[in-house]
Amino acid sequence: MVLKSRTLAPFLALLLLLTSGCDKEKEEEMPIPESPVYNKEVAFKIFTETDYSETRWQDSKLNLTLRLRRISTTLPKDEIVLDTTFGWMPFQELPLRTAPLQLDQQLREIHKEQDRLVLDVTKTVSINGYETVFHYDQTLDHDKRQETVEVKL
């Protein structure tokens, strides 16, 4: 059985259109979704904005504790990934903004949807023998793979 060119031409045109459409879909790349698990680098810059060089601050000192927690919706629910204390520092020796103390921490396998990173800061201040404790916490930003956190004394 021989097909005539009139019958064969529309069939070939349809076949050509169908196959060329398939090639075009293959050429367009689908975007790769961002992984919900990532590594994070955190730099803690610790400083004061006040100059305590006057002699009236001679008997004043500060104790600083930083605790970074990973709070998760899965187990373990609360994991301490950094726990450090800077012992009693005289006010006159506290680092200024121009020359801060810096502490770097690398965090592995942080899950964007399941984990929350929270920094707990506890400052104990002793002025002329009277102690006061200040505490605050700060949530870190998931959108930043490298983050600088300022801790003001």
Side-chain angles (χ1 to χ4, degrees):
M1 173 159 100
V2 177
L3 294 174
K4 293 190 177 189
S5 63
R6 280 191 215 167
T7 313
L8 193 56
F11 175 73
L12 289 175
L14 180 62
L15 183 63
L16 181 64
L17 286 173
L18 289 175
T19 57
S20 67
C22 291
D23 289 342
K24 191 171 185 176
E25 286 178 16
K26 288 180 184 177
E27 290 174 8
E28 293 177 20
E29 292 183 22
M30 297 297 292
I32 299 172
E34 185 178 328
S35 172
V37 178
Y38 65 97
N39 295 332
K40 184 176 183 85
E41 294 178 23
V42 183
F44 299 97
K45 294 198 178 215
I46 304 160
F47 61 89
T48 181
E49 293 180 320
T50 305
D51 182 6
Y52 291 106
S53 62
E54 296 176 14
T55 56
R56 67 182 172 140
W57 300 109
Q58 187 172 2
D59 294 327
S60 301
K61 54 190 176 183
L62 177 132
N63 188 5
L64 175 68
T65 300
L66 301 178
R67 180 173 288 141
L68 184 61
R69 297 180 293 134
R70 178 195 318 228
I71 301 170
S72 182
T73 58
T74 62
L75 293 176
K77 294 281 188 190
D78 198 348
E79 176 187 6
I80 297 172
V81 292
L82 171 70
D83 189 3
T84 189
T85 299
F86 296 88
W88 289 102
M89 298 178 280
F91 271 31
Q92 293 175 332
E93 295 176 16
L94 293 177
L96 294 172
R97 180 186 277 274
T98 56
L101 286 176
Q102 183 162 326
L103 176 65
D104 297 322
Q105 184 71 30
Q106 292 204 2
L107 308 172
R108 303 223 181 270
E109 297 182 11
I110 305 300
H111 197 285
K112 193 169 186 174
E113 285 91 26
Q114 297 174 354
D115 295 339
R116 201 177 77 189
L117 297 171
V118 177
L119 175 66
D120 297 318
V121 178
T122 304
K123 299 185 284 188
T124 305
V125 177
S126 175
I127 299 175
N128 297 325
Y130 296 100
E131 288 187 10
T132 305
V133 177
F134 300 95
H135 179 82
Y136 68 91
D137 57 38
Q138 176 179 346
T139 301
L140 276 62
D141 189 350
H142 271 303
D143 293 330
K144 297 179 181 175
R145 300 296 187 248
Q146 295 181 326
E147 185 171 0
T148 299
V149 177
E150 293 184 342
V151 179
K152 296 178 185 177
L153 304 175

